[in-house]
Amino acid sequence: MKNTLKTKRKELTVIITIVMLVVTAISIAKLLGTTFANNTFEDANGGYIITDGEKLEAQFTEVSNKSATSVVIPDTIKINEQKFKVISIKDNVLKDNKKVKKLIIGSNVKKIGKKAFYGCKNLKTIVIKTSNLTSTNVKADAFKGLNAKVVVNVPENKLAAYKKILKAKGLTGKKQKVKGKKMEEEDGTDKEKEEEVPEVTFGSDHPLPDPEYVVASIGDITKAGSNYLDQVKVTDTKEYSVGDEITFSATMCMHPDIYGRWGKRETYGRWLACNVCGKKFSSDKELGIHVAMTTDGCLGDCNAIAFDEAYTETYWIPDESPCRAVFCFTLPDGLSYKEDSVRLWHLDYGEIDKSKYQTDISGNELTVTIGNIKSEPFYNQDITLDSSYTRWPVSVLFGTEMNGSITAANTASATVSYTYKGEEKTIDLGKFSVYSSSLQ
């Protein structure tokens, strides 16, 4: 009898322990934002079911927010610290949904169930990131009954094949379109909740920004980095005699506000966060733009998140308005311009072809005019982390010669001016004294 009681107590203890472990696991899962029953899971984005525990594969089964206007079927989901690929979409998952306007289908999806998006009459934008779809694994009427003007973006290399598949599965409207697109630009994000970012205007209350830096000097400073310009700048010298050549140069890097502006929006996906300022970006390209367009010393060092979540994205809005820039140098009578000596340099691109700018000499005044400093080869708008050139400094370099009209002190001066959106700004770059050694 005693042995029987001991055995039953042990069995009861084991049962209680198991129950406590299960309750604890469920509690932890809820704290992490993930709930489960058997092999089903739910997070803030949607519901899933594990289809293969060994291969770590799951199916998208429902939308968590029934009022959502934008739905993301992610590339992967994280369950108990393991990453599962979302490889399929359940039958009827959004059937007759009148709320959804935008849909993103992740890059790992291989199967779309029958009538998955049937009757989504307000669905106007679809992004299909996956390249794994075939006519047999996209089931009947999956894309039937969508908005009459829906646009479906698909991987560029799958455009022809996906047009046939989508037409066979219900996309038959005359105004319904399928377009090829580079999927890395989407990066699984939902960009519906976008704030209004007004175009920047300039005037008396909001003057044009000064360049990030602009420096003129006696001598060649075209190869100097911005941190060393003040150290290498030369404003006077006593080294020259009649016939000697004296070089002048100026370098300028325009302010980022001339090229565009930043916006923010609430989105969903994977992000890269700058370790200096903390801003979050949806792709390497956007992070590269941030590096090029910052004055805060952000150099691309970042943290990345490998799973999809809601976050505030910072994104770049380019401005197409041209910006005219003019370098102007005035020389004293004791210095003469050397013919055909004017050169324009891009710090990364190198020497710029003379057809891209205009040089004028009138008496003692030299002007170098760039019609639009925001055009190539001065600036490349398609910025990426590995681009060969972008918002880099542009420099003017030219030679002079000391002539017979020298005085004890020969003073030159320089300015730079630029015109943007109807406003003009001129910056005095200072005076530069060249002394004649023979008159000292």
Side-chain angles (χ1 to χ4, degrees):
M1 184 70 176
K2 290 183 179 179
N3 290 335
T4 302
L5 288 173
K6 286 182 180 179
T7 301
K8 288 185 177 182
R9 285 174 183 169
K10 286 181 181 179
E11 290 175 352
L12 183 59
T13 301
V14 170
I15 292 171
I16 292 172
T17 302
I18 292 172
V19 170
M20 290 179 65
L21 288 172
V22 170
V23 171
T24 302
I26 291 173
S27 300
I28 292 171
K30 286 182 177 179
L31 287 172
L32 294 173
T34 303
T35 60
F36 64 88
N38 300 323
N39 61 342
T40 62
F41 295 80
E42 185 177 349
D43 60 18
N45 184 55
Y48 310 88
I49 185 170
I50 294 176
T51 55
D52 193 319
E54 292 184 2
K55 293 182 179 180
L56 299 180
E57 294 177 343
Q59 180 185 68
F60 183 84
T61 60
E62 63 178 334
V63 179
S64 293
N65 181 4
K66 305 304 180 184
S67 299
T69 59
S70 185
V71 173
V72 177
I73 298 172
D75 301 343
T76 61
I77 56 169
K78 200 170 186 181
I79 301 172
N80 297 336
E81 301 304 317
Q82 287 186 304
K83 187 188 294 184
F84 285 72
K85 291 183 179 180
V86 180
I87 67 162
S88 63
I89 300 169
K90 187 181 178 181
D91 295 350
N92 305 310
V93 70
L94 288 177
K95 183 182 177 183
D96 295 325
N97 185 309
K98 302 301 188 296
K99 299 287 186 181
V100 64
K101 297 178 181 179
K102 182 175 181 179
L103 170 68
I104 297 176
I105 298 174
S107 61
N108 293 317
V109 172
K110 298 178 181 179
K111 179 181 177 181
I112 298 177
K114 65 181 180 181
K115 295 189 176 182
F117 314 116
Y118 181 94
C120 294
K121 295 188 179 300
N122 291 315
L123 182 52
K124 297 179 180 180
T125 303
I126 301 176
V127 178
I128 299 177
K129 295 168 60 181
T130 179
S131 297
N132 302 320
L133 301 181
T134 67
S135 58
T136 57
N137 60 25
V138 178
K139 301 305 179 180
D141 298 332
F143 293 91
K144 189 173 182 178
L146 308 187
N147 187 275
K149 296 182 179 180
V150 66
V151 176
V152 184
N153 294 300
V154 303
E156 284 182 334
N157 63 340
K158 290 289 185 177
L159 179 58
Y162 278 17
K163 278 185 176 181
K164 294 180 181 179
I165 294 171
L166 291 168
K167 184 176 181 180
K169 306 304 176 180
L171 203 73
T172 57
K174 292 182 178 180
K175 295 183 179 181
Q176 294 177 334
K177 298 186 182 300
V178 181
K179 297 182 179 181
K181 192 169 186 178
K182 292 181 180 178
M183 287 300 111
E184 62 267 22
E185 294 180 2
E186 286 293 333
D187 202 38
T189 56
D190 166 16
K191 298 176 181 176
E192 286 293 317
K193 297 179 181 178
E194 185 172 318
E195 68 176 19
E196 290 291 331
V197 185
E199 186 175 344
V200 178
T201 57
F202 298 97
S204 57
D205 296 332
H206 185 198
L208 289 175
D210 288 342
E212 183 176 352
Y213 56 86
V214 57
V215 176
S217 175
I218 300 172
D220 182 359
I221 62 172
T222 60
K223 307 297 190 302
S226 59
N227 293 333
Y228 303 98
L229 286 172
D230 289 337
Q231 299 177 29
V232 300
K233 177 181 177 180
V234 177
T235 56
D236 64 89
T237 178
K238 302 176 182 180
E239 301 294 328
Y240 297 101
S241 301
V242 173
D244 286 347
E245 181 177 341
I246 302 116
T247 298
F248 287 83
S249 60
T251 187
M252 177 174 67
C253 187
M254 298 299 293
H255 194 278
D257 288 354
I258 296 295
Y259 298 93
R261 60 199 189 279
W262 291 102
K264 289 186 177 182
R265 55 191 168 202
E266 298 304 313
T267 186
Y268 182 89
R270 305 177 187 188
W271 48 257
L272 300 164
C274 176
N275 278 336
V276 176
C277 67
K279 293 186 176 78
K280 295 178 181 178
F281 307 92
S282 64
S283 65
D284 285 342
K285 178 179 178 180
E286 290 292 322
L287 179 64
I289 295 173
H290 169 61
V291 172
M293 293 301 176
T294 183
T295 59
D296 297 329
C298 303
L299 299 176
D301 184 27
C302 65
N303 290 320
I305 191 167
F307 54 90
D308 296 331
E309 71 172 21
Y311 70 100
T312 301
E313 177 194 3
T314 300
Y315 66 101
W316 178 247
I317 306 171
D319 184 282
E320 304 296 338
S321 303
C323 180
R324 180 175 179 265
V326 180
F327 292 88
C328 183
F329 301 86
T330 303
L331 295 185
D333 292 336
L335 297 178
S336 303
Y337 292 102
K338 291 201 68 175
E339 186 177 355
D340 197 34
S341 67
V342 176
R343 298 287 184 271
L344 212 60
W345 289 86
H346 185 287
L347 184 61
D348 191 49
Y349 182 77
E351 184 173 356
I352 295 173
D353 188 271
K354 290 181 179 293
S355 65
K356 303 297 183 180
Y357 58 95
Q358 180 179 340
T359 301
D360 295 293
I361 298 176
S362 177
N364 288 9
E365 190 170 271
L366 164 69
T367 59
V368 179
T369 303
I370 302 170
N372 182 14
I373 202 167
K374 292 168 59 179
S375 64
E376 292 190 28
F378 307 101
Y379 166 67
N380 180 6
Q381 184 169 297
D382 185 20
I383 303 171
T384 61
L385 284 175
D386 59 354
S387 65
S388 58
Y389 59 98
T390 175
R391 187 184 67 95
W392 287 99
V394 174
S395 303
V396 175
L397 175 70
F398 64 94
T400 68
E401 185 176 291
M402 184 168 281
N403 58 41
S405 300
I406 59 171
T407 60
N410 304 273
T411 303
S413 62
T415 64
V416 66
S417 62
Y418 46 100
T419 305
Y420 179 58
K421 293 187 175 181
E423 296 293 318
E424 184 174 4
K425 189 165 193 173
T426 299
I427 296 177
D428 185 356
L429 303 183
K431 299 186 182 300
F432 311 92
S433 297
V434 177
Y435 297 95
S436 169
S437 58
S438 61
L439 296 179
Q440 299 303 308

